Amino acid sequence: MEPPSQNLKTAPLLSLRRFHISEDYGFLLPNPLKELPDQFRPWMEIANELPHLIESRQLQARVNKMPLLSCQGLQSYREQRLAHLVLSFITMGYVWQEGQTQPKEVLPRNLALPFVEVSRNLGLPPILAHADLVLTNWTTRNPERSLEIRNLDIIVSLPGGESLRGFILVTVLVEKAAVPGIMALVQAVNAILQHSDNSLLRALQQLRLSIQDITRTLGQMHNYVDPDIFYAVIRIFLSGWKDNPAMPVGLTYEGVSTEPLKYSGGSAAQSTVLHAFDEFLGICHSKESADFLHRMREYMPPSHKAFIEEIHSAPSLRDHILSSGNDQLLTAYNQCVEALVELRSYHITVVTKYLITAATKAKGRKPNHLPGPSQALEERGTGGTVVLSFLKSVRDKTLEAILHQSD
């Protein structure tokens, strides 16, 4: 609904439309495409066979024979996003086909040139990011039915079978669970601009409920993702070439740069959701954590990054609550912070199960035919962080945001 015109004179109100964020799907790309125009069939044919080509060690040979195609035939934004998804998946398979011990350190020009071209057009890096793996990689089996895992499928896959599908689709549902929270955040920012504490209170209560729903949704990982498969099979294909001991110099994109380039692998920290919540709630992370989180914003669609920056520049929620002396607002704010602490604590238990515990179990096993993770990466997230210390720091700093009336 459009705000009354007199409010526009005092301060511009926040809207999702300005940042290409959907009121139905949040940061998910609404109704992603599943097919590219016919001239890009060589890419789609490889993408549709990726798990088999990687597991049979044929992908690198297929890519080397692939024709060099220009991205100029991609007409729409959604076509560009699908092309980035397809080329990013092919790239991860190409680099990691032989495992952590034998990564390909040069991406051939017939893959590197179009991948970098479409990346520049979109303002995304030339590597698989959360924007590809999750935001662009989902489709409904029946558009008339609700978004639940039985009615969803992924568009492009990698080795990992049902566990990979589950990992991606549960994360899609986490993004969907965040939508009421994103809407509440916009309502809250506008409520402060309009000096409406009743509207702000309702928005904070809605934000808390959304954060709690995100935590519940994340719990579906346990039903759909096998920790051993995630650790030993899936994780390598989400790994990047920055802060990765397996690829210390990075990846050379042939025809693009003579020097190797370094990009982080996929990470939950590339999701815009918690960045937006943190900025709104005024949560301050340690310098090391904040530096990593800010770097992850370069892996988001530019309009989503701009949304975070808009929240950052909005009037301070904490200052407003303290100056208002409104105990209901203070309680509602603290309940949001507590819900976010609980979400981050739960995320730590999930990561412990899928990373730390799975790594311990993997040490006791003989290697199989699949490329396994190297010991150097055991305690690192796919984004390159020493994962548990980072997550605990982020959680603890969130807890420090609790307000007291005397503050």
Side-chain angles (χ1 to χ4, degrees):
M1 200 169 89
E2 283 301 308
S5 59
Q6 65 266 27
N7 291 317
L8 292 174
K9 292 175 185 173
T10 53
L13 294 184
L14 186 60
S15 80
L16 292 178
R17 201 178 313 127
R18 256 170 58 209
F19 301 95
H20 307 289
I21 300 165
S22 164
E23 293 189 359
D24 295 317
Y25 300 105
F27 299 111
L28 293 166
L29 183 68
N31 308 310
L33 294 181
K34 293 185 279 189
E35 289 293 337
L36 288 173
D38 199 54
Q39 69 200 76
F40 300 101
R41 188 182 294 172
W43 296 351
M44 291 305 302
E45 285 176 347
I46 291 175
N48 291 333
E49 290 183 69
L50 265 182
H52 166 71
L53 291 173
I54 293 166
E55 287 163 354
S56 61
R57 303 287 202 271
Q58 297 176 59
L59 176 62
Q60 290 170 356
R62 276 286 293 274
V63 168
N64 291 337
K65 295 175 190 168
M66 196 171 74
L68 174 60
L69 303 174
S70 166
C71 294
Q72 290 183 341
L74 299 168
Q75 298 297 318
S76 70
Y77 178 74
R78 282 162 66 211
E79 284 179 0
Q80 291 181 352
R81 287 288 294 269
L82 176 56
H84 198 277
L85 166 66
V86 164
L87 295 174
S88 66
F89 266 62
I90 295 172
T91 294
M92 299 319 252
Y94 188 91
V95 170
W96 299 117
Q97 175 183 290
E98 302 298 327
Q100 295 271 17
T101 55
Q102 298 173 279
K104 277 282 185 190
E105 295 181 347
V106 177
L107 203 64
R109 67 174 49 239
N110 57 347
L111 178 52
L113 285 172
F115 192 20
V116 169
E117 183 185 358
V118 75
S119 297
R120 285 174 178 161
N121 291 342
L122 290 168
L124 290 170
I127 191 170
L128 176 67
H130 179 83
D132 308 296
L133 182 72
V134 177
L135 302 185
T136 317
N137 195 22
W138 66 279
T139 184
T140 51
R141 292 176 173 179
N142 181 349
E144 303 301 313
R145 287 176 47 212
S146 61
L147 253 65
E148 55 183 18
I149 208 152
R150 287 168 296 182
N151 190 37
L152 290 172
D153 217 336
I154 58 176
I155 297 168
V156 191
S157 192
L158 286 162
E162 283 300 301
S163 284
L164 178 75
R165 178 181 170 274
F167 176 71
I168 293 169
L169 294 180
V170 169
T171 313
V172 166
L173 293 175
V174 165
E175 290 280 344
K176 183 71 168 66
V179 174
I182 297 159
M183 301 280 284
L185 192 155
V186 170
Q187 180 186 330
V189 169
N190 290 336
I192 295 171
L193 291 170
Q194 295 173 310
H195 309 289
S196 174
D197 282 356
N198 287 339
S199 179
L200 177 57
L201 180 62
R202 289 193 300 273
L204 289 172
Q205 290 165 342
Q206 181 59 58
L207 176 59
R208 171 181 60 84
L209 291 172
S210 179
I211 295 170
Q212 290 170 334
D213 194 32
I214 291 169
T215 306
R216 276 192 297 274
T217 305
L218 183 60
Q220 292 188 50
M221 278 297 173
H222 303 297
N223 302 330
Y224 295 102
V225 186
D226 182 309
D228 299 331
I229 292 174
F230 178 80
Y231 182 79
V233 180
I234 296 169
R235 203 165 145 263
I236 182 175
F237 296 107
L238 309 181
S239 301
W241 26 95
K242 181 181 174 70
D243 302 324
N244 184 344
M247 287 185 76
V249 300
L251 178 70
T252 299
Y253 291 73
E254 194 178 61
V256 175
S257 171
T258 53
E259 294 296 313
L261 303 175
K262 294 185 177 184
Y263 294 101
S264 298
S267 167
Q270 293 169 2
S271 170
T272 310
V273 171
L274 294 191
H275 289 255
F277 291 175
D278 277 353
E279 290 290 359
F280 173 63
L281 295 169
I283 290 159
C284 298
H285 295 295
S286 70
K287 185 181 185 306
E288 188 179 6
S289 297
D291 287 349
F292 173 74
L293 288 167
H294 276 83
R295 187 153 58 78
M296 290 298 99
R297 293 181 186 180
E298 301 305 318
Y299 293 73
M300 298 174 187
S303 60
H304 296 176
K305 181 188 171 193
F307 178 71
I308 301 169
E309 290 164 355
E310 186 81 2
I311 299 296
H312 175 75
S313 63
S316 165
L317 171 67
R318 290 168 63 87
D319 289 351
H320 177 85
I321 289 172
L322 289 172
S323 63
S324 74
N326 185 322
D327 287 345
Q328 281 186 299
L329 287 179
L330 184 126
T331 299
Y333 171 87
N334 284 341
Q335 287 174 341
C336 287
V337 172
E338 287 161 2
L340 193 53
V341 170
E342 287 169 18
L343 169 57
R344 286 182 155 142
S345 292
Y346 188 69
H347 188 212
I348 289 167
T349 66
V350 171
V351 169
T352 301
K353 174 180 175 178
Y354 284 88
L355 201 57
I356 311 304
T357 308
T360 305
K361 285 175 71 178
K363 282 181 188 174
R365 278 197 220 98
K366 293 179 182 175
N368 58 20
H369 67 286
L370 290 159
S374 72
Q375 287 187 327
L377 282 178
E378 268 169 16
E379 293 181 1
R380 288 186 174 269
T382 47
T385 54
V386 180
V387 67
L388 277 190
S389 60
F390 165 73
L391 293 177
K392 286 176 180 174
S393 167
V394 167
R395 188 264 320 271
D396 294 345
K397 286 292 182 182
T398 305
L399 186 58
E400 287 177 18
I402 292 287
L403 281 177
H404 306 282
Q405 193 60 66
S406 57
D407 291 355

